Amino acid sequence: MRKMEEKILNEGKVLPGGILKVGSFLNQQIDTEFLKEMGKEIARLYENEEVDKILTIEASGIPVAVAAGMEMGVPVVFAKKHLTSNVDGAFYSADVHSFTRDEDYSVVVSIDFLLPGEKILLVDDFLANGQALNGLLSLVKQAGAEPAGVAVAIEKCFQGGGDEIRARGIRVEALGAIESMSDNEIVFRSEI
Ligand code: 5GP
């Protein structure tokens, strides 16, 4: 998505440790007009797939997932990173290692919101090593649901998580796909 590449080039900041900061439009302040476009683009990419529901992970995945869900007319479920009183009764859970914070956490979702046989589109803001999405894929599997595919705002291809998921036969789409990045250069994966 050309506009995503422009936003990353104009507003993104590369931090040490391979982290891209996009707080001005995605991770802290949200560019709501652009968010709408992200939702439309995800809906366009998956228009020929059967999608019953979108699953994301709190917190930064939620806006992108909701934008896509509104375009596609499907509900959005977000996995919680901590077991709270909002998750009562039985739940599915998976362990995830956080790339940005270098710590482990669990993702949990109530069994009421992922049903056997449902086709689930997984959405997140970033795809790096794939830990977060692998956690969500585990929740989908535990529920007996099926992944319809993955859509992320930004994939950092050089970390390999996206290709590992593709190698499992799951479709992965990124609105911006970064092949490499350094202080003074960001190179995008060219679309085939
Ligand atoms: P993964 O689990 O694929 O290694 O990392 C994905 C998760 O880590 C995303 O949910 C995102 O919140 C966070 N993340 C990974 N890399 C970056 C990055 O470069 N910038 C930001 N802002 N978040 C990232």
Side-chain angles (χ1 to χ4, degrees):
M1 189 188 187
R2 165 87 45 205
K3 179 96 183 268
M4 178 64 84
E5 296 185 0
E6 283 169 13
K7 293 286 272 185
I8 292 171
L9 288 175
N10 293 335
E11 299 180 39
K13 191 161 177 254
V14 179
L15 300 186
I19 298 203
L20 178 69
K21 227 179 134 188
V22 285
S24 68
F25 68 91
L26 187 61
N27 283 150
Q28 190 162 140
Q29 172 171 260
I30 293 172
D31 180 335
T32 51
E33 275 310 307
F34 182 49
L35 183 68
K36 249 190 242 172
E37 291 178 44
M38 286 190 241
K40 282 192 172 49
E41 180 63 3
I42 293 172
R44 188 190 67 78
L45 288 164
Y46 279 96
E47 67 189 351
N48 295 323
E49 306 281 347
E50 198 185 324
V51 174
D52 297 311
K53 203 172 260 183
I54 291 175
L55 176 66
T56 188
I57 184 166
E58 67 176 354
S60 299
I62 296 174
V64 185
V66 170
M70 288 195 297
E71 289 298 328
M72 298 170 84
V74 297
V76 174
V77 175
F78 59 95
K80 291 183 173 279
K81 287 184 178 164
H82 305 282
L83 202 50
T84 68
S85 51
N86 279 336
V87 186
D88 57 349
F91 55 86
Y92 304 114
S93 111
D95 294 329
V96 172
H97 182 78
S98 164
F99 170 70
T100 43
R101 278 181 285 143
D102 194 20
E103 63 185 25
D104 294 324
Y105 60 92
S106 300
V107 283
V108 293
V109 70
S110 160
I111 64 164
D112 295 340
F113 303 127
L114 283 182
L115 305 179
E118 281 183 328
K119 307 273 190 301
I120 311 289
L121 176 64
L122 305 173
V123 171
D124 203 1
D125 60 340
F126 273 87
L127 169 53
N129 294 323
Q131 288 274 321
L133 281 161
N134 280 321
L136 295 184
L137 283 164
S138 166
L139 301 179
V140 168
K141 191 169 176 204
Q142 290 170 46
E146 280 174 45
V150 169
V152 294
I154 301 171
E155 177 180 358
K156 293 186 296 175
C157 307
F158 55 91
Q159 289 185 251
D163 284 341
E164 275 173 33
I165 296 172
R166 291 183 183 97
R168 289 159 59 187
I170 297 168
R171 179 175 171 193
V172 177
E173 298 286 351
L175 305 184
I178 299 175
E179 198 67 72
S180 65
M181 62 184 201
S182 63
D183 267 358
N184 41 26
E185 196 186 35
I186 296 179
V187 178
F188 295 98
R189 186 174 56 195
S190 46
E191 285 169 32
I192 305 156

